């Protein structure tokens, strides 16, 4: 096959059709996890007793769980990049031992983290300014949810392998099944059925999430063994790519740590403002995360295809890919904004009926919506940079955005008594730095680069 035909083939692979083929399942798979969290807070926020305290606890624990899972799951992105690059270079055999070694590493790491955090739950959530009933709820909820650490991390690692193989539909099927299990069990276990199932309140939501995580892992393993060329027999001899993978994962680890410092600070400040503020912040944050994962699902197609194009050294189509995904990501963001604008006053009622909480939510929700096109650009390029293995730059950019953007903006805005506004103004500054830094870097490195 001559060079002209090869380029034509790669262009078709990076076309909107191919991108959509990968992106639609990736979007669905990506929103399953935040959909589980949204379902949890919607169900918990409407219980008859102590709904505000339960909602606040779910929000605090959810932010901490997201932080730990995102930090630990960075090997998912690293293994995805490695697999996609080797697929593009027709050298998939070179990473056959890397996959099981990565999975075993993640299993041991997740067990270690669980062993440390579960006994220290009271200390951890006290650091979020949780007190009294909110602290009590947080600890009991977390100690059940944390059992799912190994399940979630293994599932995400396998999803990374699927994405590296340019297949996002397997992860979609696993995630959808987990979401269905969670939604059904949420209602059954939280509210109970009189005479049959006792109402378990917040702990019921934790058990529902655990069942969903188990379902997703079992299905992921089935696809792994039946559909991929890989196995789970770890070789004692380390794969040559294992050390570079850990370096990439370590950079992404630091990146995600700084990301979650921002989220932790936001929730700590909201908790300090009062239980109504943290309840409203829990709703705002979970909606923001849902939107983020929705848009990030499309960006994950860029992650997989971008890594493959880099492996094939096809820089022209890599640039074209970035333009196409940017356009569609912004369109998705605008659609989400429009839908939420129409139902602006109704959305909060889905999660809680307390008038003070709803008023606080409505007062700041417009900032969350305003950020969506900026988020779309940031998440899209973030996904492509992960596929290109640019972990060090992503790390440095997040450190700058968090400590020189988000933190000063939060401190200054809080000083002027802006409260929830302070938190979301800080997030807006944070995303502006991330989006602009990624666009400038990508243009300088890949625009007009020779093949």
């Amino acid at each position: 096959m001559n060079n002209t035909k090869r380029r034509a083939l790669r262009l078709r692979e990076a076309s909107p059709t191919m991108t959509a083929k990968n992106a639609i399942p990736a979007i669905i798979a990506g929103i399953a996890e935040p959909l589980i969290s949204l379902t949890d807070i919607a169900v918990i926020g409407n219980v008859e007793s102590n709904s505000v305290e339960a909602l606040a606890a779910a929000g605090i624990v959810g932010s901490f769980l997201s932080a730990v899972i995102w930090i630990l799951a960075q090997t998912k992105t690293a293994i995805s990049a490695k697999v996609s690059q080797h697929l593009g270079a027709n050298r998939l055999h070179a990473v056959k031992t890397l996959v099981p070694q990565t999975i075993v590493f993640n299993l041991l790491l997740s067990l270690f983290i669980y062993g440390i955090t579960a006994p220290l739950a009271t200390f951890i959530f006290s650091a979020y300014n949780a007190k009294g009933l909110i602290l009590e709820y947080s600890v009991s909820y977390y100690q059940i949810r944390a059992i799912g650490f190994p399940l979630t991390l293994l599932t995400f690692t396998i999803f990374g392998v699927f994405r590296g193989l340019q297949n996002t539909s397997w992860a979609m099927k696993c995630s959808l099944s987990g979401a269905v299990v969670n939604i059904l069990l949420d209602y059954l276990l939280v509210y109970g059925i009189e005479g049959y199932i006792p109402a378990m309140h917040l702990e019921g939501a934790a058990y529902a999430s655990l069942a969903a995580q188990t379902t997703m892992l079992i299905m992921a393993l089935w696809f792994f063994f039946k559909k991929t060329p890989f196995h789970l027999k770890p070789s004692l001899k380390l794969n040559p790519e294992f050390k570079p993978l850990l370096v990439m994962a370590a950079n992404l680890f630091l990146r995600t740590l700084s990301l979650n410092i921002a989220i932790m600070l936001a929730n700590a400040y909201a908790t300090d403002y009062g239980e109504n503020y943290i309840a409203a912040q829990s709703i705002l944050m979970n909606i923001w995360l849902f939107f983020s994962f929705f848009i990030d699902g499309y960006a994950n197609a860029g992650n997989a295809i971008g890594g493959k194009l880099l492996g094939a050294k096809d820089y022209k189509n890599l640039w074209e890919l970035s333009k196409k995904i940017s356009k569609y990501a912004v369109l998705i963001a605008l659609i989400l904004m429009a839908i939420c604008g129409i139902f602006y006053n109704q959305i909060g009622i889905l999660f809680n009926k307390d008038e003070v909480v709803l008023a606080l939510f409505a007062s700041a929700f417009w900032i969350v919506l305003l950020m969506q096109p900026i988020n779309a650009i940031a998440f899209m390029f973030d996904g492509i940079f992960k596929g290109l293995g640019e972990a060090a730059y992503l790390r440095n950019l997040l450190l700058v955005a968090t400590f020189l953007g988000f933190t000063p903006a939060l401190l200054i805005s809080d000083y002027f008594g802006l409260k929830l506004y302070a938190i979301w103004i800080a997030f807006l500054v944070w995303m502006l730095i991330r989006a602009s830094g990624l666009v400038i870097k990508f243009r300088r490195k890949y625009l007009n680069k020779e093949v």
Side-chain angles (χ1 to χ4, degrees):
M1 187 183 292
N2 60 37
N3 288 337
T4 301
K5 289 182 178 179
R6 285 195 185 96
R7 287 181 184 177
L9 176 60
R10 289 169 191 159
L11 183 58
R12 287 198 297 273
E13 290 174 338
S15 68
T17 303
M18 182 64 183
T19 302
K21 181 181 176 183
N22 283 276
I24 293 172
I27 289 170
I28 296 171
I31 64 174
E33 184 68 23
L35 183 60
I36 288 173
S37 296
L38 278 175
T39 303
D40 281 354
I41 67 168
V43 173
I44 293 163
N46 286 287
V47 294
E48 290 185 2
S49 61
N50 305 317
S51 62
V52 172
E53 291 85 354
L55 179 58
I60 293 169
V61 173
S63 68
F64 179 74
L65 280 168
S66 296
V68 176
I69 290 170
W70 287 349
I71 290 169
L72 297 181
Q74 294 314 303
T75 45
K76 173 193 75 172
T77 300
I79 193 67
S80 174
K82 291 294 180 185
V83 171
S84 64
Q85 289 169 19
H86 281 77
L87 179 67
N90 293 317
R91 297 190 68 252
L92 205 56
H93 61 277
V95 292
K96 279 199 172 182
T97 59
L98 178 65
V99 170
Q101 287 171 356
T102 304
I103 290 173
V104 170
F105 174 81
N106 278 350
L107 174 61
L108 296 175
L109 181 60
S110 61
L111 291 172
F112 175 72
I113 296 297
Y114 170 76
I116 291 176
T117 60
L120 297 175
T122 301
F123 173 79
I124 291 169
F125 297 114
S126 294
Y128 279 77
N129 295 321
K131 302 178 183 70
L133 191 57
I134 294 177
L135 179 59
E136 182 183 329
Y137 280 163
S138 298
V139 171
S140 63
Y141 182 57
Y142 176 77
Q143 288 181 334
I144 298 169
R145 285 288 307 270
I147 298 171
F149 271 149
L151 307 178
T152 301
L153 192 55
L154 291 182
T155 302
F156 281 4
T157 307
I158 296 171
F159 283 2
V161 175
F162 294 165
R163 195 166 71 197
L165 292 172
Q166 316 295 290
N167 188 301
T168 53
S169 65
W170 301 334
M172 174 193 71
K173 292 172 183 177
C174 299
S175 298
L176 278 177
S177 300
V180 170
V181 168
N182 184 80
I183 291 169
L184 292 174
L185 290 181
D186 251 343
Y187 283 93
L188 288 174
L189 299 180
V190 173
Y191 298 131
I193 299 177
E194 189 174 353
Y196 295 95
I197 301 173
M200 301 175 68
H201 204 256
L202 192 57
E203 290 185 354
Y207 284 116
S209 297
L210 192 57
Q213 290 165 330
T214 303
T215 301
M216 290 166 63
L217 177 59
I218 291 171
M219 291 187 65
L221 287 170
W222 187 89
F223 282 112
F224 181 84
F225 288 120
K226 294 290 185 179
K227 303 290 187 179
T228 79
F230 301 113
H231 55 76
L232 286 183
K233 299 175 183 175
S235 171
L236 294 178
K237 182 180 179 182
L238 288 181
N239 187 286
E241 292 289 340
F242 188 73
K243 184 177 178 181
L245 180 141
L246 289 185
V247 171
M248 185 188 304
N251 283 323
L252 291 171
F253 178 101
L254 292 173
R255 165 195 171 275
T256 311
L257 179 62
S258 63
L259 183 154
N260 284 288
I261 286 172
I263 295 176
M264 185 193 76
L265 282 172
N267 282 286
Y269 270 70
T271 306
D272 198 46
Y273 297 148
E275 63 182 33
N276 290 319
Y277 282 91
I278 185 56
Q281 171 65 12
S282 296
I283 302 172
L284 291 165
M285 179 56 69
N286 276 279
I287 292 175
W288 187 83
L289 290 173
F290 178 81
F291 287 170
S292 299
F293 277 96
F294 197 103
I295 297 169
D296 195 50
Y298 196 82
N300 281 337
N303 177 304
I305 300 171
K308 186 177 180 182
L309 292 175
L310 180 67
K313 299 183 188 291
D314 193 347
Y315 304 116
K316 178 181 177 182
N317 283 325
L318 181 60
W319 175 253
E320 291 300 317
L321 174 72
S322 72
K323 293 196 296 184
K324 289 165 186 169
I325 297 185
S326 292
K327 179 173 67 176
Y328 289 108
V330 171
L331 179 61
I332 291 170
L334 292 174
I335 292 171
L336 291 172
M337 288 177 66
I339 293 171
C340 290
I342 294 170
F343 300 101
Y344 192 93
N345 293 319
Q346 288 76 33
I347 290 173
I349 299 173
L350 294 173
F351 302 99
N352 195 257
K353 302 297 189 295
D354 186 279
E355 292 184 4
V356 177
V357 172
L358 291 175
L360 289 170
F361 166 79
S363 71
F365 189 36
W366 64 272
I367 306 179
V368 174
L369 298 182
L370 181 67
M371 294 168 61
Q372 296 314 306
I374 301 167
N375 291 2
I377 297 297
F379 295 142
M380 190 283 299
F381 277 101
D382 194 87
I384 289 182
F385 270 65
K386 288 175 183 176
L388 301 178
E390 295 271 5
Y393 182 76
L394 290 174
R395 175 202 65 202
N396 294 338
L397 181 61
L398 253 294
L399 289 171
V400 169
T402 299
F403 295 106
L404 299 182
F406 179 90
T407 304
L410 177 62
L411 293 174
I412 293 169
S413 301
D414 175 71
Y415 176 79
F416 287 102
L418 297 180
K419 296 190 175 180
L420 278 186
Y421 290 114
I423 292 170
W424 289 99
I425 288 171
F427 273 121
L428 178 59
V429 171
W430 191 57
M431 294 307 301
L432 281 169
I433 294 173
R434 291 177 62 184
S436 59
L438 290 169
V439 170
I440 291 168
K441 173 73 171 180
F442 191 84
R443 285 182 61 87
R444 285 178 178 173
K445 189 163 185 177
Y446 294 104
L447 181 59
N448 299 323
K449 185 170 184 176
E450 295 294 329
V451 177

